[in-house]
Amino acid sequence: MSNNVDRTVERRLERMRAAVQRAGVKLTHQRLEIFNEIVATGEHPDVDTIYRAVRQRMPTVSIDTVYRTLWMLHDLGLVTTLGPRQDGVRFDANLDPHHHYVCVRCGLVRDFESDELSALEIPAGLTQLGSVVDARVEVRGLCAQCQDAGAPHPTERRSTP
Amino acid sequence: MSNNVDRTVERRLERMRAAVQRAGVKLTHQRLEIFNEIVATGEHPDVDTIYRAVRQRMPTVSIDTVYRTLWMLHDLGLVTTLGPRQDGVRFDANLDPHHHYVCVRCGLVRDFESDELSALEIPAGLTQLGSVVDARVEVRGLCAQCQDAGAPHPTERRSTP
DNA sequence: TTAGGTGCAAATTCTTTGCACCCTG
DNA sequence: CAGGGTGCAAAGAATTTGCACCTAA
């Protein structure tokens, strides 16, 4: 299985190299490391998480390069963002059709695949709103860890306390 | 139909009044206006949009009150946030099971309902990850307006240009 | 070689907090 | 009337930008 993962990573890196060159932008170490970081982790990291991780291997990288690179990858269609917004974002390098399990408490997101869910029948009325590219299912719940940590009521708040 | 909308709004406001009192927090004008704003518009506004709208009827309201009120409503379970994160958020006062159509270009979000989609079979393997509260379908595409505006390639950026 | 990319530092923008006065219950 | 709630102003974060040097092609 580790073998499959490696293959997936390699395939995505290859696709990235190709797309970057086709778009006529340069393939720098920074860009490679940053993209690799999102691909390698199954997680859907936010900007700061990516920044810290990349800094391990590349101590001089700057946070603004991370921002610029992420949006560039996004413009090239090499990564998607979780949720509908572009502000305060998390990135996803998995372009294959897939779905998300989201913990409503801690924000954990895990990909999963399901042929049934991927074959959903989209209501016809939606075409009034616009074109349909794809459909993803977001399953919401409390992840195992948050259940253990005891979650009496949803009454806590954001990051830096 | 306008009648039905009014009813929905009224019902949600009533639920909000009850929940707020039950929680032992005060029912101020500001809180009422802010919640009303999210309920009344079918949109899923972000903080700034809510702030501007509420200021029309209540010119002295401050942005920090809007923030505080939104998170309070969220803690009380009276509104949900779109997407998995709590940063840079958009709010949704529709607590009934529903789905979203999202424009990948401009970020427009529209609710829609579908009995079939709401009756989805959730893959059993997911219970390993945690409990399942509900499942929402996010249909992604280009909204009619963005199609008209011509969308050659996804190469534009965020808000304030 | 040379245009695009990067790092740095400063500018913006977004969000939260401390405090004195106000208003709901 | 009392305690939570609000507005204001200022602090803190998060994100973007200008610019001189660097590097992939």
Side-chain angles (χ1 to χ4, degrees):
Chain A
M1 157 102 193
S2 161
N3 205 345
N4 281 321
V5 171
D6 288 352
R7 267 202 181 154
T8 301
V9 170
E10 201 37 67
R11 177 159 40 85
R12 290 188 187 155
L13 281 173
E14 195 42 58
R15 189 182 297 176
M16 180 267 200
R17 272 186 267 261
V20 161
Q21 300 199 329
R22 195 174 342 111
V25 305
K26 292 181 182 172
L27 188 63
T28 61
H29 295 311
Q30 289 86 339
R31 289 172 175 177
L32 221 35
E33 287 290 350
I34 291 167
F35 183 71
N36 181 61
E37 180 57 33
I38 313 175
V39 168
T41 167
E43 312 290 319
H44 301 74
D46 61 15
V47 177
D48 193 58
T49 305
I50 297 168
Y51 175 51
R52 291 182 214 234
V54 171
R55 237 191 336 184
Q56 308 263 90
R57 325 198 91 230
M58 214 178 209
T60 68
V61 74
S62 64
I63 182 89
D64 49 281
T65 294
V66 175
Y67 275 105
R68 283 185 285 221
T69 299
L70 290 172
W71 289 122
M72 186 229 38
L73 294 170
H74 183 260
D75 287 347
L76 259 41
L78 291 164
V79 300
T80 16
T81 55
L82 253 44
R85 315 228 27 266
Q86 273 185 327
D87 311 312
V89 200
R90 291 167 72 158
F91 293 85
D92 185 352
N94 183 357
L95 300 177
D96 303 324
H98 67 283
H99 308 284
H100 289 139
Y101 175 85
V102 178
C103 175
V104 295
R105 189 175 213 227
C106 70
L108 165 107
V109 180
R110 278 274 198 276
D111 287 358
F112 70 91
E113 288 170 37
S114 159
D115 293 340
E116 297 90 72
L117 294 188
S118 296
L120 286 181
E121 192 75 26
I122 306 301
L126 279 188
T127 50
Q128 288 188 313
L129 292 173
S131 68
V132 170
V133 175
D134 70 349
R136 298 180 183 182
V137 178
E138 176 180 306
V139 175
R140 297 151 42 88
L142 257 195
C143 75
Q145 197 164 11
C146 283
Q147 284 176 23
D148 293 347
H153 289 297
T155 314
E156 74 310 326
R157 182 56 30 64
R158 249 153 338 295
S159 44
T160 46
Chain B
M1 158 103 191
S2 160
N3 205 345
N4 280 322
V5 172
D6 288 351
R7 266 202 181 157
T8 301
V9 171
E10 199 38 67
R11 177 160 40 84
R12 289 187 188 157
L13 280 173
E14 193 43 59
R15 189 182 298 175
M16 180 267 201
R17 271 186 269 261
V20 161
Q21 299 199 328
R22 194 172 346 108
V25 305
K26 292 178 181 174
L27 188 63
T28 61
H29 296 310
Q30 289 87 336
R31 287 171 175 178
L32 221 37
E33 288 290 350
I34 290 167
F35 183 71
N36 180 62
E37 179 58 33
I38 313 176
V39 168
T41 166
E43 312 290 321
H44 302 74
D46 62 14
V47 177
D48 193 58
T49 305
I50 297 168
Y51 175 50
R52 291 181 215 233
V54 170
R55 233 187 345 179
Q56 309 263 90
R57 326 198 89 230
M58 215 179 208
T60 69
V61 75
S62 65
I63 183 91
D64 49 277
T65 295
V66 175
Y67 275 104
R68 282 186 285 224
T69 300
L70 290 172
W71 289 121
M72 185 227 43
L73 293 170
H74 183 259
D75 288 347
L76 259 41
L78 291 164
V79 299
T80 10
T81 56
L82 254 43
R85 316 223 33 261
Q86 275 185 325
D87 312 310
V89 201
R90 291 167 71 160
F91 292 85
D92 185 351
N94 183 358
L95 300 177
D96 303 325
H98 67 283
H99 309 284
H100 290 139
Y101 175 85
V102 179
C103 175
V104 294
R105 188 174 214 229
C106 71
L108 164 108
V109 180
R110 279 274 198 277
D111 288 357
F112 70 91
E113 287 170 38
S114 157
D115 292 341
E116 296 91 72
L117 294 188
S118 296
L120 287 182
E121 192 73 26
I122 305 300
L126 279 187
T127 51
Q128 288 188 313
L129 293 172
S131 69
V132 170
V133 175
D134 69 350
R136 298 181 185 182
V137 178
E138 177 181 305
V139 175
R140 295 150 45 86
L142 257 196
C143 75
Q145 199 164 10
C146 283
Q147 284 176 21
D148 293 347
H153 288 297
T155 315
E156 73 313 325
R157 184 52 33 61
R158 253 154 335 296
S159 45
T160 47

